[in-house]
Amino acid sequence: MKTFFTMVCASILATSVFASNCEIKIEGSDMMKYDVAEITLDTSCEKTKISLKHAGKLPINAMGHNVVIVEEKNLSKITQQINFSIGVEKGYLPESEDIIFISAMVGGGDTTELEMDMSKLDKTKSYVFFCSFPGHWALMRGTIKII
Ligand SMILES: [Cu+2]
């Protein structure tokens, strides 16, 4: 019985943390594109979950996708550091405190989830999201609206 209550409480808690605005779905394709050009992050969410689905079929080493969030002013600095030699596990990016959030990279048919602690975002700053697979950011990027 105690376990049952714990499960119910846990699910209620999970629902409130990821209520409507606190969960965002993005899809990437074999055409090197996201299905959205802008996402809205609601600062009333303690945490926001981004679910990235690769709706294509190509393997991760040919058409991997992830979601990286940085301040807009750091976009070119960060994307210049993208390098195949760094490896897919790190999203082809060196460690950097300018990378606010980075999801795992996925290949065709796979989904990954990125849980974001919203206290890391500052409403007065501009943020962008992009894919750090080499060559993708020019097409795979979007703006972030913070409400
Ligand atoms: Cu990509």
PDB file of all heavy atoms in Angstrom, residues 5-45:
ATOM      1  N   PHE A   5       1.003   4.369  -2.776  1.00  0.00           N
ATOM      2  CA  PHE A   5       0.878   5.803  -2.510  1.00  0.00           C
ATOM      3  C   PHE A   5       2.099   6.568  -3.028  1.00  0.00           C
ATOM      4  O   PHE A   5       1.976   7.639  -3.593  1.00  0.00           O
ATOM      5  CB  PHE A   5       0.697   6.067  -1.006  1.00  0.00           C
ATOM      6  CG  PHE A   5      -0.752   6.032  -0.593  1.00  0.00           C
ATOM      7  CD1 PHE A   5      -1.192   5.130   0.343  1.00  0.00           C
ATOM      8  CD2 PHE A   5      -1.665   6.926  -1.160  1.00  0.00           C
ATOM      9  CE1 PHE A   5      -2.530   5.088   0.708  1.00  0.00           C
ATOM     10  CE2 PHE A   5      -3.000   6.881  -0.802  1.00  0.00           C
ATOM     11  CZ  PHE A   5      -3.441   5.960   0.133  1.00  0.00           C
ATOM     12  N   THR A   6       3.250   5.976  -2.824  1.00  0.00           N
ATOM     13  CA  THR A   6       4.484   6.611  -3.291  1.00  0.00           C
ATOM     14  C   THR A   6       4.431   6.785  -4.804  1.00  0.00           C
ATOM     15  O   THR A   6       4.779   7.829  -5.343  1.00  0.00           O
ATOM     16  CB  THR A   6       5.709   5.744  -2.923  1.00  0.00           C
ATOM     17  OG1 THR A   6       5.583   5.386  -1.566  1.00  0.00           O
ATOM     18  CG2 THR A   6       6.994   6.498  -3.140  1.00  0.00           C
ATOM     19  N   MET A   7       3.917   5.762  -5.499  1.00  0.00           N
ATOM     20  CA  MET A   7       3.826   5.827  -6.957  1.00  0.00           C
ATOM     21  C   MET A   7       2.837   6.909  -7.394  1.00  0.00           C
ATOM     22  O   MET A   7       3.100   7.681  -8.304  1.00  0.00           O
ATOM     23  CB  MET A   7       3.395   4.477  -7.523  1.00  0.00           C
ATOM     24  CG  MET A   7       4.533   3.485  -7.594  1.00  0.00           C
ATOM     25  SD  MET A   7       3.954   1.820  -7.881  1.00  0.00           S
ATOM     26  CE  MET A   7       3.235   2.001  -9.512  1.00  0.00           C
ATOM     27  N   VAL A   8       1.693   6.974  -6.701  1.00  0.00           N
ATOM     28  CA  VAL A   8       0.684   7.972  -7.048  1.00  0.00           C
ATOM     29  C   VAL A   8       1.263   9.373  -6.836  1.00  0.00           C
ATOM     30  O   VAL A   8       1.160  10.236  -7.699  1.00  0.00           O
ATOM     31  CB  VAL A   8      -0.608   7.787  -6.222  1.00  0.00           C
ATOM     32  CG1 VAL A   8      -1.554   8.960  -6.420  1.00  0.00           C
ATOM     33  CG2 VAL A   8      -1.289   6.483  -6.610  1.00  0.00           C
ATOM     34  N   CYS A   9       1.900   9.563  -5.688  1.00  0.00           N
ATOM     35  CA  CYS A   9       2.495  10.872  -5.386  1.00  0.00           C
ATOM     36  C   CYS A   9       3.556  11.229  -6.416  1.00  0.00           C
ATOM     37  O   CYS A   9       3.605  12.351  -6.900  1.00  0.00           O
ATOM     38  CB  CYS A   9       3.125  10.879  -3.997  1.00  0.00           C
ATOM     39  SG  CYS A   9       1.898  10.810  -2.703  1.00  0.00           S
ATOM     40  N   ALA A  10       4.380  10.257  -6.759  1.00  0.00           N
ATOM     41  CA  ALA A  10       5.443  10.501  -7.720  1.00  0.00           C
ATOM     42  C   ALA A  10       4.864  10.906  -9.068  1.00  0.00           C
ATOM     43  O   ALA A  10       5.367  11.814  -9.723  1.00  0.00           O
ATOM     44  CB  ALA A  10       6.315   9.263  -7.869  1.00  0.00           C
ATOM     45  N   SER A  11       3.767  10.268  -9.474  1.00  0.00           N
ATOM     46  CA  SER A  11       3.201  10.596 -10.772  1.00  0.00           C
ATOM     47  C   SER A  11       2.536  11.969 -10.754  1.00  0.00           C
ATOM     48  O   SER A  11       2.579  12.706 -11.726  1.00  0.00           O
ATOM     49  CB  SER A  11       2.236   9.509 -11.247  1.00  0.00           C
ATOM     50  OG  SER A  11       1.068   9.538 -10.480  1.00  0.00           O
ATOM     51  N   ILE A  12       1.919  12.342  -9.632  1.00  0.00           N
ATOM     52  CA  ILE A  12       1.312  13.673  -9.518  1.00  0.00           C
ATOM     53  C   ILE A  12       2.411  14.735  -9.587  1.00  0.00           C
ATOM     54  O   ILE A  12       2.309  15.722 -10.286  1.00  0.00           O
ATOM     55  CB  ILE A  12       0.508  13.821  -8.196  1.00  0.00           C
ATOM     56  CG1 ILE A  12      -0.750  12.949  -8.270  1.00  0.00           C
ATOM     57  CG2 ILE A  12       0.112  15.270  -7.947  1.00  0.00           C
ATOM     58  CD1 ILE A  12      -1.475  12.804  -6.962  1.00  0.00           C
ATOM     59  N   LEU A  13       3.477  14.465  -8.898  1.00  0.00           N
ATOM     60  CA  LEU A  13       4.619  15.374  -8.880  1.00  0.00           C
ATOM     61  C   LEU A  13       5.197  15.534 -10.287  1.00  0.00           C
ATOM     62  O   LEU A  13       5.425  16.639 -10.755  1.00  0.00           O
ATOM     63  CB  LEU A  13       5.686  14.801  -7.936  1.00  0.00           C
ATOM     64  CG  LEU A  13       6.587  15.808  -7.247  1.00  0.00           C
ATOM     65  CD1 LEU A  13       5.750  16.631  -6.270  1.00  0.00           C
ATOM     66  CD2 LEU A  13       7.691  15.091  -6.475  1.00  0.00           C
ATOM     67  N   ALA A  14       5.367  14.417 -10.959  1.00  0.00           N
ATOM     68  CA  ALA A  14       5.928  14.449 -12.307  1.00  0.00           C
ATOM     69  C   ALA A  14       5.020  15.241 -13.235  1.00  0.00           C
ATOM     70  O   ALA A  14       5.479  16.004 -14.075  1.00  0.00           O
ATOM     71  CB  ALA A  14       6.112  13.029 -12.823  1.00  0.00           C
ATOM     72  N   THR A  15       3.717  15.086 -13.064  1.00  0.00           N
ATOM     73  CA  THR A  15       2.764  15.798 -13.916  1.00  0.00           C
ATOM     74  C   THR A  15       2.871  17.300 -13.706  1.00  0.00           C
ATOM     75  O   THR A  15       2.846  18.068 -14.659  1.00  0.00           O
ATOM     76  CB  THR A  15       1.317  15.348 -13.600  1.00  0.00           C
ATOM     77  OG1 THR A  15       1.292  13.933 -13.578  1.00  0.00           O
ATOM     78  CG2 THR A  15       0.350  15.851 -14.643  1.00  0.00           C
ATOM     79  N   SER A  16       3.009  17.729 -12.439  1.00  0.00           N
ATOM     80  CA  SER A  16       3.058  19.167 -12.196  1.00  0.00           C
ATOM     81  C   SER A  16       4.364  19.782 -12.687  1.00  0.00           C
ATOM     82  O   SER A  16       4.383  20.888 -13.193  1.00  0.00           O
ATOM     83  CB  SER A  16       2.837  19.467 -10.715  1.00  0.00           C
ATOM     84  OG  SER A  16       3.862  18.897  -9.958  1.00  0.00           O
ATOM     85  N   VAL A  17       5.450  19.041 -12.575  1.00  0.00           N
ATOM     86  CA  VAL A  17       6.731  19.570 -13.049  1.00  0.00           C
ATOM     87  C   VAL A  17       6.717  19.705 -14.573  1.00  0.00           C
ATOM     88  O   VAL A  17       7.210  20.667 -15.133  1.00  0.00           O
ATOM     89  CB  VAL A  17       7.909  18.665 -12.603  1.00  0.00           C
ATOM     90  CG1 VAL A  17       9.207  19.096 -13.282  1.00  0.00           C
ATOM     91  CG2 VAL A  17       8.068  18.721 -11.107  1.00  0.00           C
ATOM     92  N   PHE A  18       6.085  18.739 -15.232  1.00  0.00           N
ATOM     93  CA  PHE A  18       6.072  18.765 -16.692  1.00  0.00           C
ATOM     94  C   PHE A  18       4.675  19.062 -17.245  1.00  0.00           C
ATOM     95  O   PHE A  18       4.233  18.456 -18.196  1.00  0.00           O
ATOM     96  CB  PHE A  18       6.619  17.455 -17.254  1.00  0.00           C
ATOM     97  CG  PHE A  18       8.053  17.225 -16.901  1.00  0.00           C
ATOM     98  CD1 PHE A  18       8.441  16.132 -16.159  1.00  0.00           C
ATOM     99  CD2 PHE A  18       9.022  18.132 -17.311  1.00  0.00           C
ATOM    100  CE1 PHE A  18       9.777  15.927 -15.829  1.00  0.00           C
ATOM    101  CE2 PHE A  18      10.353  17.934 -16.977  1.00  0.00           C
ATOM    102  CZ  PHE A  18      10.733  16.836 -16.239  1.00  0.00           C
ATOM    103  N   ALA A  19       3.964  19.972 -16.620  1.00  0.00           N
ATOM    104  CA  ALA A  19       2.644  20.352 -17.129  1.00  0.00           C
ATOM    105  C   ALA A  19       2.789  21.079 -18.456  1.00  0.00           C
ATOM    106  O   ALA A  19       3.815  21.702 -18.706  1.00  0.00           O
ATOM    107  CB  ALA A  19       1.947  21.242 -16.117  1.00  0.00           C
ATOM    108  N   SER A  20       1.769  20.986 -19.272  1.00  0.00           N
ATOM    109  CA  SER A  20       1.678  21.549 -20.633  1.00  0.00           C
ATOM    110  C   SER A  20       2.905  22.323 -21.127  1.00  0.00           C
ATOM    111  O   SER A  20       3.667  21.817 -21.937  1.00  0.00           O
ATOM    112  CB  SER A  20       0.424  22.399 -20.751  1.00  0.00           C
ATOM    113  OG  SER A  20       0.457  23.412 -19.772  1.00  0.00           O
ATOM    114  N   ASN A  21       3.088  23.530 -20.643  1.00  0.00           N
ATOM    115  CA  ASN A  21       4.170  24.383 -21.135  1.00  0.00           C
ATOM    116  C   ASN A  21       5.554  23.898 -20.751  1.00  0.00           C
ATOM    117  O   ASN A  21       6.547  24.421 -21.242  1.00  0.00           O
ATOM    118  CB  ASN A  21       4.016  25.798 -20.563  1.00  0.00           C
ATOM    119  CG  ASN A  21       2.880  26.535 -21.225  1.00  0.00           C
ATOM    120  OD1 ASN A  21       2.371  26.083 -22.241  1.00  0.00           O
ATOM    121  ND2 ASN A  21       2.483  27.650 -20.644  1.00  0.00           N
ATOM    122  N   CYS A  22       5.613  22.958 -19.838  1.00  0.00           N
ATOM    123  CA  CYS A  22       6.913  22.529 -19.324  1.00  0.00           C
ATOM    124  C   CYS A  22       7.471  21.346 -20.092  1.00  0.00           C
ATOM    125  O   CYS A  22       8.471  20.761 -19.700  1.00  0.00           O
ATOM    126  CB  CYS A  22       6.806  22.203 -17.845  1.00  0.00           C
ATOM    127  SG  CYS A  22       6.063  23.535 -16.888  1.00  0.00           S
ATOM    128  N   GLU A  23       6.809  20.982 -21.167  1.00  0.00           N
ATOM    129  CA  GLU A  23       7.314  19.888 -21.991  1.00  0.00           C
ATOM    130  C   GLU A  23       7.230  20.306 -23.456  1.00  0.00           C
ATOM    131  O   GLU A  23       6.194  20.765 -23.927  1.00  0.00           O
ATOM    132  CB  GLU A  23       6.497  18.620 -21.755  1.00  0.00           C
ATOM    133  CG  GLU A  23       7.068  17.450 -22.510  1.00  0.00           C
ATOM    134  CD  GLU A  23       6.493  16.108 -22.062  1.00  0.00           C
ATOM    135  OE1 GLU A  23       5.691  16.085 -21.115  1.00  0.00           O
ATOM    136  OE2 GLU A  23       6.847  15.103 -22.692  1.00  0.00           O
ATOM    137  N   ILE A  24       8.349  20.190 -24.143  1.00  0.00           N
ATOM    138  CA  ILE A  24       8.417  20.643 -25.529  1.00  0.00           C
ATOM    139  C   ILE A  24       8.846  19.484 -26.412  1.00  0.00           C
ATOM    140  O   ILE A  24       9.771  18.741 -26.068  1.00  0.00           O
ATOM    141  CB  ILE A  24       9.421  21.809 -25.647  1.00  0.00           C
ATOM    142  CG1 ILE A  24       8.814  23.038 -24.973  1.00  0.00           C
ATOM    143  CG2 ILE A  24       9.773  22.113 -27.093  1.00  0.00           C
ATOM    144  CD1 ILE A  24       9.810  24.119 -24.707  1.00  0.00           C
ATOM    145  N   LYS A  25       8.170  19.359 -27.524  1.00  0.00           N
ATOM    146  CA  LYS A  25       8.530  18.285 -28.455  1.00  0.00           C
ATOM    147  C   LYS A  25       9.118  18.881 -29.729  1.00  0.00           C
ATOM    148  O   LYS A  25       8.561  19.803 -30.309  1.00  0.00           O
ATOM    149  CB  LYS A  25       7.296  17.452 -28.799  1.00  0.00           C
ATOM    150  CG  LYS A  25       6.776  16.646 -27.616  1.00  0.00           C
ATOM    151  CD  LYS A  25       5.638  15.751 -28.058  1.00  0.00           C
ATOM    152  CE  LYS A  25       4.922  15.091 -26.890  1.00  0.00           C
ATOM    153  NZ  LYS A  25       5.769  14.257 -26.054  1.00  0.00           N
ATOM    154  N   ILE A  26      10.271  18.365 -30.103  1.00  0.00           N
ATOM    155  CA  ILE A  26      10.926  18.809 -31.333  1.00  0.00           C
ATOM    156  C   ILE A  26      11.239  17.564 -32.168  1.00  0.00           C
ATOM    157  O   ILE A  26      11.623  16.532 -31.618  1.00  0.00           O
ATOM    158  CB  ILE A  26      12.256  19.558 -31.042  1.00  0.00           C
ATOM    159  CG1 ILE A  26      12.010  20.774 -30.145  1.00  0.00           C
ATOM    160  CG2 ILE A  26      12.937  19.992 -32.337  1.00  0.00           C
ATOM    161  CD1 ILE A  26      13.298  21.522 -29.767  1.00  0.00           C
ATOM    162  N   GLU A  27      11.082  17.701 -33.471  1.00  0.00           N
ATOM    163  CA  GLU A  27      11.459  16.594 -34.351  1.00  0.00           C
ATOM    164  C   GLU A  27      12.560  17.032 -35.307  1.00  0.00           C
ATOM    165  O   GLU A  27      12.552  18.165 -35.799  1.00  0.00           O
ATOM    166  CB  GLU A  27      10.259  16.130 -35.186  1.00  0.00           C
ATOM    167  CG  GLU A  27       9.338  15.195 -34.413  1.00  0.00           C
ATOM    168  CD  GLU A  27       8.279  14.546 -35.298  1.00  0.00           C
ATOM    169  OE1 GLU A  27       8.394  14.586 -36.540  1.00  0.00           O
ATOM    170  OE2 GLU A  27       7.342  13.988 -34.721  1.00  0.00           O
ATOM    171  N   GLY A  28      13.498  16.137 -35.541  1.00  0.00           N
ATOM    172  CA  GLY A  28      14.534  16.376 -36.547  1.00  0.00           C
ATOM    173  C   GLY A  28      14.274  15.392 -37.691  1.00  0.00           C
ATOM    174  O   GLY A  28      13.637  14.358 -37.481  1.00  0.00           O
ATOM    175  N   SER A  29      14.766  15.719 -38.876  1.00  0.00           N
ATOM    176  CA  SER A  29      14.483  14.860 -40.027  1.00  0.00           C
ATOM    177  C   SER A  29      15.755  14.505 -40.783  1.00  0.00           C
ATOM    178  O   SER A  29      16.832  15.028 -40.499  1.00  0.00           O
ATOM    179  CB  SER A  29      13.525  15.574 -40.980  1.00  0.00           C
ATOM    180  OG  SER A  29      14.228  16.619 -41.635  1.00  0.00           O
ATOM    181  N   ASP A  30      15.596  13.644 -41.780  1.00  0.00           N
ATOM    182  CA  ASP A  30      16.718  13.306 -42.658  1.00  0.00           C
ATOM    183  C   ASP A  30      17.065  14.458 -43.600  1.00  0.00           C
ATOM    184  O   ASP A  30      18.069  14.417 -44.306  1.00  0.00           O
ATOM    185  CB  ASP A  30      16.382  12.057 -43.488  1.00  0.00           C
ATOM    186  CG  ASP A  30      16.507  10.782 -42.669  1.00  0.00           C
ATOM    187  OD1 ASP A  30      17.120  10.830 -41.578  1.00  0.00           O
ATOM    188  OD2 ASP A  30      15.991   9.734 -43.104  1.00  0.00           O
ATOM    189  N   MET A  31      16.220  15.485 -43.623  1.00  0.00           N
ATOM    190  CA  MET A  31      16.457  16.658 -44.464  1.00  0.00           C
ATOM    191  C   MET A  31      17.277  17.717 -43.725  1.00  0.00           C
ATOM    192  O   MET A  31      17.347  18.868 -44.143  1.00  0.00           O
ATOM    193  CB  MET A  31      15.135  17.284 -44.917  1.00  0.00           C
ATOM    194  CG  MET A  31      14.197  16.334 -45.643  1.00  0.00           C
ATOM    195  SD  MET A  31      14.928  15.623 -47.131  1.00  0.00           S
ATOM    196  CE  MET A  31      14.966  17.083 -48.160  1.00  0.00           C
ATOM    197  N   MET A  32      17.867  17.314 -42.590  1.00  0.00           N
ATOM    198  CA  MET A  32      18.680  18.241 -41.798  1.00  0.00           C
ATOM    199  C   MET A  32      17.857  19.446 -41.333  1.00  0.00           C
ATOM    200  O   MET A  32      18.264  20.592 -41.478  1.00  0.00           O
ATOM    201  CB  MET A  32      19.878  18.723 -42.637  1.00  0.00           C
ATOM    202  CG  MET A  32      21.085  19.089 -41.786  1.00  0.00           C
ATOM    203  SD  MET A  32      22.322  20.008 -42.716  1.00  0.00           S
ATOM    204  CE  MET A  32      23.017  18.748 -43.752  1.00  0.00           C
ATOM    205  N   LYS A  33      16.684  19.155 -40.805  1.00  0.00           N
ATOM    206  CA  LYS A  33      15.804  20.215 -40.339  1.00  0.00           C
ATOM    207  C   LYS A  33      15.080  19.825 -39.065  1.00  0.00           C
ATOM    208  O   LYS A  33      14.780  18.654 -38.841  1.00  0.00           O
ATOM    209  CB  LYS A  33      14.744  20.526 -41.410  1.00  0.00           C
ATOM    210  CG  LYS A  33      15.240  21.502 -42.448  1.00  0.00           C
ATOM    211  CD  LYS A  33      14.121  21.874 -43.400  1.00  0.00           C
ATOM    212  CE  LYS A  33      14.626  22.856 -44.448  1.00  0.00           C
ATOM    213  NZ  LYS A  33      13.774  22.906 -45.628  1.00  0.00           N
ATOM    214  N   TYR A  34      14.805  20.850 -38.245  1.00  0.00           N
ATOM    215  CA  TYR A  34      13.884  20.677 -37.126  1.00  0.00           C
ATOM    216  C   TYR A  34      12.487  20.994 -37.657  1.00  0.00           C
ATOM    217  O   TYR A  34      12.348  21.697 -38.674  1.00  0.00           O
ATOM    218  CB  TYR A  34      14.176  21.702 -36.018  1.00  0.00           C
ATOM    219  CG  TYR A  34      15.444  21.517 -35.223  1.00  0.00           C
ATOM    220  CD1 TYR A  34      16.335  22.578 -35.080  1.00  0.00           C
ATOM    221  CD2 TYR A  34      15.730  20.322 -34.550  1.00  0.00           C
ATOM    222  CE1 TYR A  34      17.484  22.466 -34.316  1.00  0.00           C
ATOM    223  CE2 TYR A  34      16.889  20.208 -33.784  1.00  0.00           C
ATOM    224  CZ  TYR A  34      17.749  21.276 -33.672  1.00  0.00           C
ATOM    225  OH  TYR A  34      18.886  21.160 -32.909  1.00  0.00           O
ATOM    226  N   ASP A  35      11.474  20.559 -36.953  1.00  0.00           N
ATOM    227  CA  ASP A  35      10.106  20.894 -37.376  1.00  0.00           C
ATOM    228  C   ASP A  35       9.614  22.211 -36.769  1.00  0.00           C
ATOM    229  O   ASP A  35       8.477  22.609 -37.015  1.00  0.00           O
ATOM    230  CB  ASP A  35       9.134  19.748 -37.045  1.00  0.00           C
ATOM    231  CG  ASP A  35       8.974  19.512 -35.551  1.00  0.00           C
ATOM    232  OD1 ASP A  35       9.876  19.921 -34.780  1.00  0.00           O
ATOM    233  OD2 ASP A  35       7.957  18.935 -35.145  1.00  0.00           O
ATOM    234  N   VAL A  36      10.441  22.851 -35.964  1.00  0.00           N
ATOM    235  CA  VAL A  36      10.053  24.147 -35.391  1.00  0.00           C
ATOM    236  C   VAL A  36      11.199  25.146 -35.550  1.00  0.00           C
ATOM    237  O   VAL A  36      12.369  24.763 -35.567  1.00  0.00           O
ATOM    238  CB  VAL A  36       9.706  24.039 -33.881  1.00  0.00           C
ATOM    239  CG1 VAL A  36       8.389  23.307 -33.673  1.00  0.00           C
ATOM    240  CG2 VAL A  36      10.821  23.361 -33.104  1.00  0.00           C
ATOM    241  N   ALA A  37      10.845  26.421 -35.672  1.00  0.00           N
ATOM    242  CA  ALA A  37      11.860  27.472 -35.812  1.00  0.00           C
ATOM    243  C   ALA A  37      11.989  28.278 -34.531  1.00  0.00           C
ATOM    244  O   ALA A  37      12.922  29.058 -34.359  1.00  0.00           O
ATOM    245  CB  ALA A  37      11.486  28.394 -36.964  1.00  0.00           C
ATOM    246  N   GLU A  38      11.032  28.073 -33.627  1.00  0.00           N
ATOM    247  CA  GLU A  38      11.071  28.790 -32.353  1.00  0.00           C
ATOM    248  C   GLU A  38      10.454  27.920 -31.270  1.00  0.00           C
ATOM    249  O   GLU A  38       9.477  27.220 -31.519  1.00  0.00           O
ATOM    250  CB  GLU A  38      10.284  30.108 -32.467  1.00  0.00           C
ATOM    251  CG  GLU A  38      10.307  30.905 -31.157  1.00  0.00           C
ATOM    252  CD  GLU A  38       9.517  32.221 -31.255  1.00  0.00           C
ATOM    253  OE1 GLU A  38      10.127  33.236 -31.627  1.00  0.00           O
ATOM    254  OE2 GLU A  38       8.311  32.216 -30.960  1.00  0.00           O
ATOM    255  N   ILE A  39      11.046  27.966 -30.076  1.00  0.00           N
ATOM    256  CA  ILE A  39      10.414  27.293 -28.944  1.00  0.00           C
ATOM    257  C   ILE A  39      10.199  28.325 -27.842  1.00  0.00           C
ATOM    258  O   ILE A  39      10.927  29.314 -27.757  1.00  0.00           O
ATOM    259  CB  ILE A  39      11.239  26.085 -28.409  1.00  0.00           C
ATOM    260  CG1 ILE A  39      12.639  26.511 -27.971  1.00  0.00           C
ATOM    261  CG2 ILE A  39      11.297  24.977 -29.427  1.00  0.00           C
ATOM    262  CD1 ILE A  39      13.430  25.390 -27.281  1.00  0.00           C
ATOM    263  N   THR A  40       9.194  28.088 -27.038  1.00  0.00           N
ATOM    264  CA  THR A  40       8.888  28.997 -25.942  1.00  0.00           C
ATOM    265  C   THR A  40       9.165  28.294 -24.625  1.00  0.00           C
ATOM    266  O   THR A  40       8.679  27.190 -24.392  1.00  0.00           O
ATOM    267  CB  THR A  40       7.402  29.421 -26.002  1.00  0.00           C
ATOM    268  OG1 THR A  40       7.171  30.065 -27.249  1.00  0.00           O
ATOM    269  CG2 THR A  40       7.066  30.379 -24.868  1.00  0.00           C
ATOM    270  N   LEU A  41       9.991  28.925 -23.806  1.00  0.00           N
ATOM    271  CA  LEU A  41      10.287  28.361 -22.494  1.00  0.00           C
ATOM    272  C   LEU A  41       9.576  29.207 -21.440  1.00  0.00           C
ATOM    273  O   LEU A  41       9.707  30.432 -21.423  1.00  0.00           O
ATOM    274  CB  LEU A  41      11.798  28.338 -22.243  1.00  0.00           C
ATOM    275  CG  LEU A  41      12.612  27.474 -23.213  1.00  0.00           C
ATOM    276  CD1 LEU A  41      14.089  27.511 -22.838  1.00  0.00           C
ATOM    277  CD2 LEU A  41      12.122  26.028 -23.224  1.00  0.00           C
ATOM    278  N   ASP A  42       8.842  28.537 -20.605  1.00  0.00           N
ATOM    279  CA  ASP A  42       8.027  29.204 -19.597  1.00  0.00           C
ATOM    280  C   ASP A  42       8.767  29.179 -18.256  1.00  0.00           C
ATOM    281  O   ASP A  42       8.996  28.114 -17.690  1.00  0.00           O
ATOM    282  CB  ASP A  42       6.691  28.451 -19.509  1.00  0.00           C
ATOM    283  CG  ASP A  42       5.712  29.116 -18.556  1.00  0.00           C
ATOM    284  OD1 ASP A  42       6.145  29.937 -17.712  1.00  0.00           O
ATOM    285  OD2 ASP A  42       4.527  28.801 -18.660  1.00  0.00           O
ATOM    286  N   THR A  43       9.134  30.340 -17.767  1.00  0.00           N
ATOM    287  CA  THR A  43       9.936  30.395 -16.533  1.00  0.00           C
ATOM    288  C   THR A  43       9.113  30.036 -15.281  1.00  0.00           C
ATOM    289  O   THR A  43       9.683  29.895 -14.208  1.00  0.00           O
ATOM    290  CB  THR A  43      10.564  31.792 -16.326  1.00  0.00           C
ATOM    291  OG1 THR A  43       9.557  32.782 -16.530  1.00  0.00           O
ATOM    292  CG2 THR A  43      11.716  32.019 -17.279  1.00  0.00           C
ATOM    293  N   SER A  44       7.798  29.875 -15.459  1.00  0.00           N
ATOM    294  CA  SER A  44       7.029  29.408 -14.302  1.00  0.00           C
ATOM    295  C   SER A  44       7.217  27.903 -14.108  1.00  0.00           C
ATOM    296  O   SER A  44       6.829  27.342 -13.097  1.00  0.00           O
ATOM    297  CB  SER A  44       5.547  29.765 -14.455  1.00  0.00           C
ATOM    298  OG  SER A  44       4.972  28.996 -15.481  1.00  0.00           O
ATOM    299  N   CYS A  45       7.834  27.247 -15.085  1.00  0.00           N
ATOM    300  CA  CYS A  45       8.174  25.827 -14.936  1.00  0.00           C
ATOM    301  C   CYS A  45       9.494  25.759 -14.168  1.00  0.00           C
ATOM    302  O   CYS A  45      10.449  26.451 -14.518  1.00  0.00           O
ATOM    303  CB  CYS A  45       8.391  25.165 -16.287  1.00  0.00           C
ATOM    304  SG  CYS A  45       7.003  25.264 -17.413  1.00  0.00           S
TER     305      CYS A  45
END
